[in-house]
Amino acid sequence: MARYVGFAAPPASTGSVKLDAAVQKATAQTPEKLSGLALYSRFAFAGAVCCSITHGALTPVDVVKTRIQLDPVTYNRGLIGSFRQVVANEGAGALLTGFGPTAAGYFLQGAFKFGGYEFFKQQAINTVGYENASNNRTAVYLASAAAAEFFADIALCPLEATRIRLVSEPTFASGLMSGFSKIAKTEGFGAFYSGFGPILFKQVPYTMAKFVVFEKVVEAVYKKIDKSTLSNGSQTVVNLGSGLVAGFAAAIISQPADTMLSKINKTKGLPGEGTTSRLIKIAKELGLRGSYAGIGARLFMVGTLTAGQFAIYGDIKKALGATGGVEIAK
């Protein structure tokens, strides 16, 4: 991969003073494409911002969704009805429970997820060649998304565990720092990763579906419409629509694992009880129907935030000049 250089080498002389001047002027006016760290750091920043904004803004929906998953007997009136229940019982402020760990956790996760996806996609292209990558692009999308999400979840897991504990036990702590410290002191650092298996089980298929469906929908749109003829605003609309479809698909695929993640992080396990045995027990208790508790709230939440993520991500990339990524769609 070519390294990013701050200044372009002067063009070779053509033998004509006027032509040399024209070439130099054109070169000066053409922005150099970024590569390497300069490029991927921009991808990571754009991903961090888009995920933090969207997940943070949807904290109230996440609170209600988690309550429905953890206590479906009490919160059994659907998304709107459960909103009203939470506000009536605990006040409107309860809807922002876990906002700190949500915004911080998904800032980190977004950087690894989006930056990692672009990085691993490029590595696949470097390994198998552009033509092979393009011919097998679905496999490239899936493998790149899975690899990126694995590392993203290592960063996210402790903050997600803290968020779920704050939402499931409103009196547990006052916020991110106090909740994080209390879990570390009373249960040990390992408690932050008790849900690592479920979070991988949830997030990896979710991210694979999210990226591959988004790429396929965008590809289908641009087969019908010439991208170069669209304004920046129209391209943002395409990203929004494609992200919405991708979000719905990802939510349905990952819902059972999301429910199990909420359950396993609600309380600590019994003495000597391993994560695997806890997951098996939770799965038996939930059943198929129980694993899809809160799916309405999650479809709304994931569809909205995924659409917003891809729209914001695309706009920030353009603003930062991060245009060096390789597209392999035909």
Side-chain angles (χ1 to χ4, degrees):
M1 187 184 297
R3 297 180 62 189
Y4 173 70
V5 183
F7 299 95
S13 174
T14 63
S16 167
V17 175
K18 289 185 178 181
L19 187 55
D20 283 349
V23 170
Q24 289 174 350
K25 182 178 180 181
T27 301
Q29 291 176 344
T30 302
E32 186 175 357
K33 283 190 175 183
L34 300 171
S35 63
L37 180 61
L39 177 63
Y40 292 106
S41 63
R42 285 164 170 79
F43 286 147
F45 179 75
V49 172
C50 78
C51 285
S52 184
I53 289 175
T54 51
H55 279 278
L58 286 167
T59 296
V61 179
D62 207 12
V63 168
V64 174
K65 181 266 298 181
T66 304
R67 295 292 173 84
I68 293 171
Q69 290 174 325
L70 296 178
D71 190 3
V73 174
T74 301
Y75 298 96
N76 59 3
R77 303 177 189 175
L79 178 59
I80 303 302
S82 297
F83 260 107
R84 291 172 178 165
Q85 281 181 277
V86 172
V87 173
N89 295 336
E90 304 171 41
L95 295 173
L96 291 178
T97 304
F99 174 80
T102 297
Y106 282 96
F107 186 90
L108 288 174
Q109 193 232 26
F112 282 98
K113 176 187 289 189
F114 281 86
Y117 176 69
E118 301 282 6
F119 174 79
F120 286 116
K121 188 166 66 170
Q122 180 65 65
Q123 298 316 301
I125 293 165
N126 292 347
T127 301
V128 304
Y130 182 86
E131 185 175 353
N132 284 333
S134 182
N135 290 336
N136 299 280
R137 57 192 178 281
T138 300
V140 171
Y141 297 150
L142 290 171
S144 301
E149 187 58 46
F150 177 82
F151 292 103
D153 289 342
I154 293 174
L156 173 65
C157 201
L159 292 157
E160 181 70 355
T162 305
R163 179 196 71 80
I164 291 174
R165 186 65 62 86
L166 292 174
V167 172
S168 62
E169 298 179 40
T171 59
F172 180 76
S174 59
L176 168 59
M177 296 307 297
S178 59
F180 191 94
S181 298
K182 187 173 181 180
I183 292 174
K185 286 180 181 178
T186 60
E187 300 173 37
F189 191 77
F192 290 119
Y193 285 92
S194 63
F196 187 62
I199 209 170
L200 284 177
F201 184 51
K202 164 196 167 185
Q203 289 291 141
V204 171
Y206 162 83
T207 299
M208 292 169 73
K210 168 179 170 176
F211 277 110
V212 77
V213 172
F214 176 80
E215 297 271 19
K216 291 294 186 180
V217 174
V218 168
E219 182 179 339
V221 170
Y222 288 136
K223 278 184 178 178
K224 302 290 184 181
I225 305 169
D226 185 354
K227 183 178 180 179
S228 64
T229 66
L230 295 181
S231 65
N232 286 339
S234 296
Q235 290 180 30
T236 299
V237 171
V238 171
N239 288 340
L240 275 170
S242 302
L244 185 64
V245 175
F248 287 156
I252 292 170
I253 288 171
S254 62
Q255 175 66 15
D258 184 68
T259 304
M260 293 177 70
L261 180 65
S262 294
K263 289 283 188 181
I264 202 169
N265 278 315
K266 181 180 180 181
T267 56
K268 62 181 180 180
L270 299 173
E273 187 179 31
T275 301
T276 302
S277 59
R278 290 180 68 194
L279 289 174
I280 293 171
K281 183 170 72 173
I282 290 169
K284 288 180 178 178
E285 291 172 352
L286 286 172
L288 181 62
R289 184 171 182 175
S291 68
Y292 276 89
I295 186 62
R298 193 155 185 267
L299 279 170
F300 173 80
M301 174 185 166
V302 174
T304 302
L305 70 84
T306 305
Q309 281 174 11
F310 280 113
I312 295 169
Y313 180 65
D315 288 348
I316 293 178
K317 283 200 302 179
K318 290 176 190 173
L320 296 177
T323 58
V326 176
E327 298 299 329
I328 54 177
K330 292 185 177 179

